[in-house]
Amino acid sequence: MLDKEKFHVLNYVKKEEYTGSMEGMRYMLRKKSAGEETKLEVIIWPEPFGYRKTPEEKKERMEFPFSEEGLSQAVDWMNGQHETQEVYRKLR
């Protein structure tokens, strides 16, 4: 499970994509701009492959505000997906 208190990556995501994995689930956080609005896009997918080798239909995306509160919401969402989705339970 990702710990919100230790997951401080927003400054990094301003410049680069941030990737990681957690017990069978891979994830990517990146900055997404649409006009004047900036969002935090989170993409999750099952192991074993990286982002580019994983088919699109196996990836899930969600957007959050590009803020510390949005990052906290993103971590909650990733933890929830990890706990509830069968594909990730099989990989643990």
Side-chain angles (χ1 to χ4, degrees), residues 54-69:
T54 301
E56 277 301 313
E57 62 270 10
K58 291 190 175 192
K59 298 174 188 171
E60 286 191 60
R61 300 168 187 273
M62 186 66 91
E63 292 181 1
F64 300 91
F66 198 86
S67 64
E68 288 297 328
E69 184 177 330

Side-chain angles (χ1 to χ4, degrees), residues 1-36:
M1 186 173 255
L2 296 172
D3 183 354
K4 284 193 283 192
E5 300 302 317
K6 296 179 182 173
F7 202 77
H8 300 286
V9 298
L10 209 52
N11 282 332
Y12 185 89
V13 175
K14 286 179 182 178
K15 297 179 183 179
E16 299 285 336
E17 295 172 344
Y18 181 84
T19 60
S21 64
M22 171 179 57
E23 300 175 342
M25 182 179 81
R26 294 190 185 240
Y27 56 87
M28 176 189 296
L29 285 74
R30 63 183 175 190
K31 182 174 148 181
K32 183 176 180 183
S33 297
E36 304 251 337

